[in-house]
PDB file of all heavy atoms in Angstrom:
ATOM      1  N   LYS Q   1      90.610  83.387 117.985  1.00  0.00           N
ATOM      2  CA  LYS Q   1      91.287  82.085 117.877  1.00  0.00           C
ATOM      3  C   LYS Q   1      90.484  80.951 118.474  1.00  0.00           C
ATOM      4  O   LYS Q   1      90.650  79.814 118.115  1.00  0.00           O
ATOM      5  CB  LYS Q   1      92.682  82.181 118.552  1.00  0.00           C
ATOM      6  CG  LYS Q   1      93.689  82.855 117.767  1.00  0.00           C
ATOM      7  CD  LYS Q   1      95.153  82.724 118.210  1.00  0.00           C
ATOM      8  CE  LYS Q   1      95.432  82.987 119.624  1.00  0.00           C
ATOM      9  NZ  LYS Q   1      96.805  83.030 119.935  1.00  0.00           N
ATOM     10  N   LYS Q   2      89.601  81.281 119.340  1.00  0.00           N
ATOM     11  CA  LYS Q   2      88.743  80.224 119.955  1.00  0.00           C
ATOM     12  C   LYS Q   2      87.708  79.692 118.990  1.00  0.00           C
ATOM     13  O   LYS Q   2      87.219  78.570 119.149  1.00  0.00           O
ATOM     14  CB  LYS Q   2      87.991  80.797 121.166  1.00  0.00           C
ATOM     15  CG  LYS Q   2      88.964  81.145 122.315  1.00  0.00           C
ATOM     16  CD  LYS Q   2      88.215  81.816 123.473  1.00  0.00           C
ATOM     17  CE  LYS Q   2      89.188  82.211 124.548  1.00  0.00           C
ATOM     18  NZ  LYS Q   2      88.530  83.002 125.591  1.00  0.00           N
ATOM     19  N   THR Q   3      87.340  80.497 117.947  1.00  0.00           N
ATOM     20  CA  THR Q   3      86.315  80.100 117.054  1.00  0.00           C
ATOM     21  C   THR Q   3      86.667  80.181 115.579  1.00  0.00           C
ATOM     22  O   THR Q   3      85.925  79.605 114.732  1.00  0.00           O
ATOM     23  CB  THR Q   3      85.004  80.951 117.297  1.00  0.00           C
ATOM     24  OG1 THR Q   3      85.341  82.291 117.028  1.00  0.00           O
ATOM     25  CG2 THR Q   3      84.479  80.808 118.688  1.00  0.00           C
ATOM     26  N   THR Q   4      87.724  80.849 115.290  1.00  0.00           N
ATOM     27  CA  THR Q   4      88.064  81.181 113.900  1.00  0.00           C
ATOM     28  C   THR Q   4      89.574  81.070 113.712  1.00  0.00           C
ATOM     29  O   THR Q   4      90.340  81.227 114.658  1.00  0.00           O
ATOM     30  CB  THR Q   4      87.649  82.640 113.551  1.00  0.00           C
ATOM     31  OG1 THR Q   4      86.274  82.842 113.990  1.00  0.00           O
ATOM     32  CG2 THR Q   4      87.766  82.945 112.075  1.00  0.00           C
ATOM     33  N   PHE Q   5      89.981  80.973 112.461  1.00  0.00           N
ATOM     34  CA  PHE Q   5      91.393  80.970 112.146  1.00  0.00           C
ATOM     35  C   PHE Q   5      91.884  82.469 112.101  1.00  0.00           C
ATOM     36  O   PHE Q   5      91.244  83.300 111.497  1.00  0.00           O
ATOM     37  CB  PHE Q   5      91.642  80.347 110.791  1.00  0.00           C
ATOM     38  CG  PHE Q   5      93.048  80.490 110.300  1.00  0.00           C
ATOM     39  CD1 PHE Q   5      94.068  79.783 110.838  1.00  0.00           C
ATOM     40  CD2 PHE Q   5      93.360  81.413 109.305  1.00  0.00           C
ATOM     41  CE1 PHE Q   5      95.398  79.925 110.422  1.00  0.00           C
ATOM     42  CE2 PHE Q   5      94.629  81.628 108.857  1.00  0.00           C
ATOM     43  CZ  PHE Q   5      95.679  80.834 109.377  1.00  0.00           C
ATOM     44  N   VAL Q   6      92.940  82.737 112.786  1.00  0.00           N
ATOM     45  CA  VAL Q   6      93.550  84.036 112.777  1.00  0.00           C
ATOM     46  C   VAL Q   6      94.953  83.871 112.167  1.00  0.00           C
ATOM     47  O   VAL Q   6      95.733  83.129 112.670  1.00  0.00           O
ATOM     48  CB  VAL Q   6      93.655  84.626 114.197  1.00  0.00           C
ATOM     49  CG1 VAL Q   6      94.407  85.940 114.198  1.00  0.00           C
ATOM     50  CG2 VAL Q   6      92.339  84.779 114.880  1.00  0.00           C
ATOM     51  N   PRO Q   7      95.219  84.583 111.088  1.00  0.00           N
ATOM     52  CA  PRO Q   7      96.503  84.417 110.462  1.00  0.00           C
ATOM     53  C   PRO Q   7      97.638  84.793 111.437  1.00  0.00           C
ATOM     54  O   PRO Q   7      97.573  85.822 112.139  1.00  0.00           O
ATOM     55  CB  PRO Q   7      96.460  85.458 109.329  1.00  0.00           C
ATOM     56  CG  PRO Q   7      95.032  85.608 109.024  1.00  0.00           C
ATOM     57  CD  PRO Q   7      94.324  85.446 110.355  1.00  0.00           C
ATOM     58  N   GLU Q   8      98.605  83.930 111.555  1.00  0.00           N
ATOM     59  CA  GLU Q   8      99.682  84.143 112.434  1.00  0.00           C
ATOM     60  C   GLU Q   8     100.423  85.447 112.201  1.00  0.00           C
ATOM     61  O   GLU Q   8     100.854  86.180 113.057  1.00  0.00           O
ATOM     62  CB  GLU Q   8     100.651  83.002 112.332  1.00  0.00           C
ATOM     63  CG  GLU Q   8     101.765  82.988 113.419  1.00  0.00           C
ATOM     64  CD  GLU Q   8     102.665  81.763 113.296  1.00  0.00           C
ATOM     65  OE1 GLU Q   8     102.092  80.637 113.285  1.00  0.00           O
ATOM     66  OE2 GLU Q   8     103.888  81.941 113.264  1.00  0.00           O
ATOM     67  N   ASN Q   9     100.494  85.814 110.921  1.00  0.00           N
ATOM     68  CA  ASN Q   9     101.188  87.018 110.542  1.00  0.00           C
ATOM     69  C   ASN Q   9     100.511  88.285 111.134  1.00  0.00           C
ATOM     70  O   ASN Q   9     101.174  89.235 111.495  1.00  0.00           O
ATOM     71  CB  ASN Q   9     101.258  87.107 109.029  1.00  0.00           C
ATOM     72  CG  ASN Q   9     102.396  88.026 108.554  1.00  0.00           C
ATOM     73  OD1 ASN Q   9     103.459  88.035 109.180  1.00  0.00           O
ATOM     74  ND2 ASN Q   9     102.137  88.734 107.532  1.00  0.00           N
ATOM     75  N   ASP Q  10      99.203  88.230 111.215  1.00  0.00           N
ATOM     76  CA  ASP Q  10      98.446  89.422 111.770  1.00  0.00           C
ATOM     77  C   ASP Q  10      98.812  89.586 113.226  1.00  0.00           C
ATOM     78  O   ASP Q  10      99.075  90.736 113.638  1.00  0.00           O
ATOM     79  CB  ASP Q  10      96.925  89.206 111.640  1.00  0.00           C
ATOM     80  CG  ASP Q  10      96.409  89.294 110.204  1.00  0.00           C
ATOM     81  OD1 ASP Q  10      97.219  89.583 109.314  1.00  0.00           O
ATOM     82  OD2 ASP Q  10      95.218  89.025 110.022  1.00  0.00           O
ATOM     83  N   GLU Q  11      98.853  88.522 113.961  1.00  0.00           N
ATOM     84  CA  GLU Q  11      99.247  88.596 115.331  1.00  0.00           C
ATOM     85  C   GLU Q  11     100.683  89.053 115.528  1.00  0.00           C
ATOM     86  O   GLU Q  11     100.997  89.901 116.393  1.00  0.00           O
ATOM     87  CB  GLU Q  11      99.071  87.206 116.057  1.00  0.00           C
ATOM     88  CG  GLU Q  11      97.703  86.939 116.494  1.00  0.00           C
ATOM     89  CD  GLU Q  11      97.678  85.636 117.335  1.00  0.00           C
ATOM     90  OE1 GLU Q  11      97.834  84.549 116.776  1.00  0.00           O
ATOM     91  OE2 GLU Q  11      97.504  85.767 118.578  1.00  0.00           O
ATOM     92  N   LYS Q  12     101.547  88.531 114.664  1.00  0.00           N
ATOM     93  CA  LYS Q  12     102.977  88.884 114.741  1.00  0.00           C
ATOM     94  C   LYS Q  12     103.144  90.364 114.485  1.00  0.00           C
ATOM     95  O   LYS Q  12     103.920  91.044 115.225  1.00  0.00           O
ATOM     96  CB  LYS Q  12     103.721  88.064 113.737  1.00  0.00           C
ATOM     97  CG  LYS Q  12     105.206  88.296 113.772  1.00  0.00           C
ATOM     98  CD  LYS Q  12     105.908  87.425 112.760  1.00  0.00           C
ATOM     99  CE  LYS Q  12     107.446  87.768 112.795  1.00  0.00           C
ATOM    100  NZ  LYS Q  12     108.214  87.093 111.764  1.00  0.00           N
ATOM    101  N   ILE Q  13     102.483  90.873 113.490  1.00  0.00           N
ATOM    102  CA  ILE Q  13     102.623  92.338 113.133  1.00  0.00           C
ATOM    103  C   ILE Q  13     102.120  93.147 114.322  1.00  0.00           C
ATOM    104  O   ILE Q  13     102.724  94.159 114.695  1.00  0.00           O
ATOM    105  CB  ILE Q  13     101.859  92.654 111.866  1.00  0.00           C
ATOM    106  CG1 ILE Q  13     102.571  92.041 110.665  1.00  0.00           C
ATOM    107  CG2 ILE Q  13     101.723  94.155 111.681  1.00  0.00           C
ATOM    108  CD1 ILE Q  13     101.798  92.060 109.391  1.00  0.00           C
ATOM    109  N   ASN Q  14     100.967  92.785 114.904  1.00  0.00           N
ATOM    110  CA  ASN Q  14     100.439  93.500 116.059  1.00  0.00           C
ATOM    111  C   ASN Q  14     101.431  93.505 117.231  1.00  0.00           C
ATOM    112  O   ASN Q  14     101.645  94.548 117.840  1.00  0.00           O
ATOM    113  CB  ASN Q  14      99.078  92.846 116.466  1.00  0.00           C
ATOM    114  CG  ASN Q  14      98.266  93.708 117.415  1.00  0.00           C
ATOM    115  OD1 ASN Q  14      97.802  94.741 117.017  1.00  0.00           O
ATOM    116  ND2 ASN Q  14      98.141  93.222 118.656  1.00  0.00           N
ATOM    117  N   GLU Q  15     101.992  92.308 117.523  1.00  0.00           N
ATOM    118  CA  GLU Q  15     102.952  92.271 118.635  1.00  0.00           C
ATOM    119  C   GLU Q  15     104.226  93.056 118.367  1.00  0.00           C
ATOM    120  O   GLU Q  15     104.738  93.722 119.304  1.00  0.00           O
ATOM    121  CB  GLU Q  15     103.347  90.780 118.938  1.00  0.00           C
ATOM    122  CG  GLU Q  15     102.179  89.974 119.467  1.00  0.00           C
ATOM    123  CD  GLU Q  15     101.558  90.533 120.729  1.00  0.00           C
ATOM    124  OE1 GLU Q  15     102.305  90.974 121.635  1.00  0.00           O
ATOM    125  OE2 GLU Q  15     100.320  90.579 120.828  1.00  0.00           O
ATOM    126  N   GLU Q  16     104.677  93.056 117.124  1.00  0.00           N
ATOM    127  CA  GLU Q  16     105.839  93.906 116.729  1.00  0.00           C
ATOM    128  C   GLU Q  16     105.543  95.377 116.927  1.00  0.00           C
ATOM    129  O   GLU Q  16     106.381  96.140 117.432  1.00  0.00           O
ATOM    130  CB  GLU Q  16     106.303  93.606 115.322  1.00  0.00           C
ATOM    131  CG  GLU Q  16     106.924  92.254 115.150  1.00  0.00           C
ATOM    132  CD  GLU Q  16     107.195  91.904 113.688  1.00  0.00           C
ATOM    133  OE1 GLU Q  16     106.891  92.714 112.762  1.00  0.00           O
ATOM    134  OE2 GLU Q  16     107.742  90.823 113.479  1.00  0.00           O
ATOM    135  N   ARG Q  17     104.390  95.776 116.524  1.00  0.00           N
ATOM    136  CA  ARG Q  17     103.972  97.186 116.673  1.00  0.00           C
ATOM    137  C   ARG Q  17     103.825  97.558 118.138  1.00  0.00           C
ATOM    138  O   ARG Q  17     104.214  98.683 118.527  1.00  0.00           O
ATOM    139  CB  ARG Q  17     102.672  97.402 115.922  1.00  0.00           C
ATOM    140  CG  ARG Q  17     102.261  98.820 115.759  1.00  0.00           C
ATOM    141  CD  ARG Q  17     103.215  99.592 114.848  1.00  0.00           C
ATOM    142  NE  ARG Q  17     102.776 100.994 114.810  1.00  0.00           N
ATOM    143  CZ  ARG Q  17     103.556 102.014 115.138  1.00  0.00           C
ATOM    144  NH1 ARG Q  17     104.769 101.854 115.479  1.00  0.00           N
ATOM    145  NH2 ARG Q  17     103.076 103.245 115.078  1.00  0.00           N
ATOM    146  N   ILE Q  18     103.330  96.651 118.951  1.00  0.00           N
ATOM    147  CA  ILE Q  18     103.229  96.938 120.415  1.00  0.00           C
ATOM    148  C   ILE Q  18     104.618  97.199 120.939  1.00  0.00           C
ATOM    149  O   ILE Q  18     104.879  98.135 121.680  1.00  0.00           O
ATOM    150  CB  ILE Q  18     102.550  95.753 121.132  1.00  0.00           C
ATOM    151  CG1 ILE Q  18     101.042  95.742 120.881  1.00  0.00           C
ATOM    152  CG2 ILE Q  18     102.803  95.832 122.650  1.00  0.00           C
ATOM    153  CD1 ILE Q  18     100.293  94.530 121.396  1.00  0.00           C
ATOM    154  N   LYS Q  19     105.533  96.329 120.613  1.00  0.00           N
ATOM    155  CA  LYS Q  19     106.917  96.432 121.124  1.00  0.00           C
ATOM    156  C   LYS Q  19     107.538  97.769 120.631  1.00  0.00           C
ATOM    157  O   LYS Q  19     108.171  98.447 121.455  1.00  0.00           O
ATOM    158  CB  LYS Q  19     107.748  95.247 120.660  1.00  0.00           C
ATOM    159  CG  LYS Q  19     109.106  95.215 121.179  1.00  0.00           C
ATOM    160  CD  LYS Q  19     109.903  93.991 120.737  1.00  0.00           C
ATOM    161  CE  LYS Q  19     111.320  94.080 121.274  1.00  0.00           C
ATOM    162  NZ  LYS Q  19     112.129  92.954 120.882  1.00  0.00           N
ATOM    163  N   GLU Q  20     107.379  98.113 119.381  1.00  0.00           N
ATOM    164  CA  GLU Q  20     107.938  99.372 118.860  1.00  0.00           C
ATOM    165  C   GLU Q  20     107.360 100.578 119.602  1.00  0.00           C
ATOM    166  O   GLU Q  20     108.148 101.485 119.981  1.00  0.00           O
ATOM    167  CB  GLU Q  20     107.610  99.485 117.386  1.00  0.00           C
ATOM    168  CG  GLU Q  20     108.317  98.551 116.508  1.00  0.00           C
ATOM    169  CD  GLU Q  20     107.816  98.582 115.058  1.00  0.00           C
ATOM    170  OE1 GLU Q  20     106.930  99.373 114.698  1.00  0.00           O
ATOM    171  OE2 GLU Q  20     108.277  97.735 114.285  1.00  0.00           O
ATOM    172  N   LEU Q  21     106.050 100.615 119.774  1.00  0.00           N
ATOM    173  CA  LEU Q  21     105.481 101.721 120.479  1.00  0.00           C
ATOM    174  C   LEU Q  21     105.893 101.819 121.938  1.00  0.00           C
ATOM    175  O   LEU Q  21     106.152 102.881 122.466  1.00  0.00           O
ATOM    176  CB  LEU Q  21     103.958 101.661 120.401  1.00  0.00           C
ATOM    177  CG  LEU Q  21     103.327 102.214 119.112  1.00  0.00           C
ATOM    178  CD1 LEU Q  21     101.833 101.887 119.047  1.00  0.00           C
ATOM    179  CD2 LEU Q  21     103.552 103.739 118.964  1.00  0.00           C
ATOM    180  N   GLN Q  22     105.978 100.691 122.582  1.00  0.00           N
ATOM    181  CA  GLN Q  22     106.489 100.628 123.950  1.00  0.00           C
ATOM    182  C   GLN Q  22     107.868 101.231 124.066  1.00  0.00           C
ATOM    183  O   GLN Q  22     108.133 102.078 124.908  1.00  0.00           O
ATOM    184  CB  GLN Q  22     106.425  99.215 124.546  1.00  0.00           C
ATOM    185  CG  GLN Q  22     105.084  98.670 124.841  1.00  0.00           C
ATOM    186  CD  GLN Q  22     105.103  97.214 125.145  1.00  0.00           C
ATOM    187  OE1 GLN Q  22     105.955  96.442 124.653  1.00  0.00           O
ATOM    188  NE2 GLN Q  22     104.127  96.803 125.951  1.00  0.00           N
ATOM    189  N   GLU Q  23     108.750 100.840 123.160  1.00  0.00           N
ATOM    190  CA  GLU Q  23     110.114 101.360 123.152  1.00  0.00           C
ATOM    191  C   GLU Q  23     110.170 102.813 122.972  1.00  0.00           C
ATOM    192  O   GLU Q  23     110.870 103.546 123.643  1.00  0.00           O
ATOM    193  CB  GLU Q  23     110.935 100.637 122.112  1.00  0.00           C
ATOM    194  CG  GLU Q  23     111.255  99.187 122.419  1.00  0.00           C
ATOM    195  CD  GLU Q  23     111.891  98.409 121.249  1.00  0.00           C
ATOM    196  OE1 GLU Q  23     112.209  99.037 120.224  1.00  0.00           O
ATOM    197  OE2 GLU Q  23     112.162  97.217 121.490  1.00  0.00           O
ATOM    198  N   VAL Q  24     109.405 103.322 121.961  1.00  0.00           N
ATOM    199  CA  VAL Q  24     109.348 104.777 121.740  1.00  0.00           C
ATOM    200  C   VAL Q  24     108.887 105.559 122.939  1.00  0.00           C
ATOM    201  O   VAL Q  24     109.471 106.563 123.337  1.00  0.00           O
ATOM    202  CB  VAL Q  24     108.481 105.076 120.475  1.00  0.00           C
ATOM    203  CG1 VAL Q  24     108.134 106.608 120.382  1.00  0.00           C
ATOM    204  CG2 VAL Q  24     109.124 104.558 119.206  1.00  0.00           C
ATOM    205  N   LEU Q  25     107.768 105.070 123.527  1.00  0.00           N
ATOM    206  CA  LEU Q  25     107.225 105.775 124.650  1.00  0.00           C
ATOM    207  C   LEU Q  25     108.078 105.758 125.883  1.00  0.00           C
ATOM    208  O   LEU Q  25     108.190 106.746 126.640  1.00  0.00           O
ATOM    209  CB  LEU Q  25     105.814 105.233 124.918  1.00  0.00           C
ATOM    210  CG  LEU Q  25     104.796 105.615 123.874  1.00  0.00           C
ATOM    211  CD1 LEU Q  25     103.522 104.819 123.975  1.00  0.00           C
ATOM    212  CD2 LEU Q  25     104.451 107.126 123.933  1.00  0.00           C
ATOM    213  N   ILE Q  26     108.761 104.599 126.128  1.00  0.00           N
ATOM    214  CA  ILE Q  26     109.686 104.545 127.255  1.00  0.00           C
ATOM    215  C   ILE Q  26     110.842 105.472 127.057  1.00  0.00           C
ATOM    216  O   ILE Q  26     111.197 106.210 127.978  1.00  0.00           O
ATOM    217  CB  ILE Q  26     110.131 103.048 127.439  1.00  0.00           C
ATOM    218  CG1 ILE Q  26     108.989 102.215 127.955  1.00  0.00           C
ATOM    219  CG2 ILE Q  26     111.354 102.954 128.375  1.00  0.00           C
ATOM    220  CD1 ILE Q  26     109.222 100.686 127.927  1.00  0.00           C
ATOM    221  N   LYS Q  27     111.380 105.559 125.823  1.00  0.00           N
ATOM    222  CA  LYS Q  27     112.505 106.466 125.552  1.00  0.00           C
ATOM    223  C   LYS Q  27     112.059 107.908 125.778  1.00  0.00           C
ATOM    224  O   LYS Q  27     112.896 108.753 126.127  1.00  0.00           O
ATOM    225  CB  LYS Q  27     113.029 106.276 124.120  1.00  0.00           C
ATOM    226  CG  LYS Q  27     113.839 105.078 123.950  1.00  0.00           C
ATOM    227  CD  LYS Q  27     114.349 104.912 122.518  1.00  0.00           C
ATOM    228  CE  LYS Q  27     115.080 103.661 122.292  1.00  0.00           C
ATOM    229  NZ  LYS Q  27     115.430 103.365 120.937  1.00  0.00           N
ATOM    230  N   GLN Q  28     110.816 108.227 125.561  1.00  0.00           N
ATOM    231  CA  GLN Q  28     110.318 109.577 125.757  1.00  0.00           C
ATOM    232  C   GLN Q  28     109.821 109.850 127.171  1.00  0.00           C
ATOM    233  O   GLN Q  28     109.267 110.896 127.424  1.00  0.00           O
ATOM    234  CB  GLN Q  28     109.200 109.895 124.743  1.00  0.00           C
ATOM    235  CG  GLN Q  28     109.688 109.868 123.322  1.00  0.00           C
ATOM    236  CD  GLN Q  28     110.744 110.907 123.029  1.00  0.00           C
ATOM    237  OE1 GLN Q  28     110.689 112.014 123.532  1.00  0.00           O
ATOM    238  NE2 GLN Q  28     111.733 110.514 122.250  1.00  0.00           N
ATOM    239  N   GLY Q  29     110.027 108.961 128.060  1.00  0.00           N
ATOM    240  CA  GLY Q  29     109.722 109.202 129.507  1.00  0.00           C
ATOM    241  C   GLY Q  29     108.366 108.790 129.961  1.00  0.00           C
ATOM    242  O   GLY Q  29     107.898 109.232 131.025  1.00  0.00           O
ATOM    243  N   PHE Q  30     107.684 107.925 129.215  1.00  0.00           N
ATOM    244  CA  PHE Q  30     106.331 107.511 129.580  1.00  0.00           C
ATOM    245  C   PHE Q  30     106.251 106.137 130.284  1.00  0.00           C
ATOM    246  O   PHE Q  30     105.166 105.576 130.422  1.00  0.00           O
ATOM    247  CB  PHE Q  30     105.414 107.507 128.354  1.00  0.00           C
ATOM    248  CG  PHE Q  30     105.176 108.850 127.774  1.00  0.00           C
ATOM    249  CD1 PHE Q  30     106.012 109.404 126.816  1.00  0.00           C
ATOM    250  CD2 PHE Q  30     104.127 109.684 128.239  1.00  0.00           C
ATOM    251  CE1 PHE Q  30     105.787 110.663 126.269  1.00  0.00           C
ATOM    252  CE2 PHE Q  30     103.882 110.916 127.742  1.00  0.00           C
ATOM    253  CZ  PHE Q  30     104.762 111.403 126.754  1.00  0.00           C
ATOM    254  N   GLU Q  31     107.413 105.669 130.714  1.00  0.00           N
ATOM    255  CA  GLU Q  31     107.425 104.291 131.274  1.00  0.00           C
ATOM    256  C   GLU Q  31     106.451 104.153 132.454  1.00  0.00           C
ATOM    257  O   GLU Q  31     105.699 103.214 132.560  1.00  0.00           O
ATOM    258  CB  GLU Q  31     108.795 103.909 131.678  1.00  0.00           C
ATOM    259  CG  GLU Q  31     108.897 102.473 132.231  1.00  0.00           C
ATOM    260  CD  GLU Q  31     110.311 102.016 132.486  1.00  0.00           C
ATOM    261  OE1 GLU Q  31     111.269 102.824 132.323  1.00  0.00           O
ATOM    262  OE2 GLU Q  31     110.495 100.848 132.822  1.00  0.00           O
TER     263      GLU Q  31
END
């Protein structure tokens, strides 16, 4: 983002996937 255009949708998908994986792993006892 400092030098190039990054599609907002790419970041959004990445952040959604982070949240999903965090939730799954926390539910499985990896908090």
Side-chain angles (χ1 to χ4, degrees):
K1 285 194 305 190
K2 293 176 184 174
T3 60
T4 311
F5 172 75
V6 176
E8 188 176 309
N9 202 37
D10 290 355
E11 276 188 288
K12 183 179 177 187
I13 291 169
N14 195 66
E15 292 304 316
E16 288 172 359
R17 190 69 181 121
I18 286 172
K19 185 177 177 180
E20 289 170 5
L21 278 170
Q22 287 171 330
E23 289 173 2
V24 166
L25 289 165
I26 288 169
K27 284 180 184 175
Q28 294 300 319
F30 291 92
E31 184 172 5

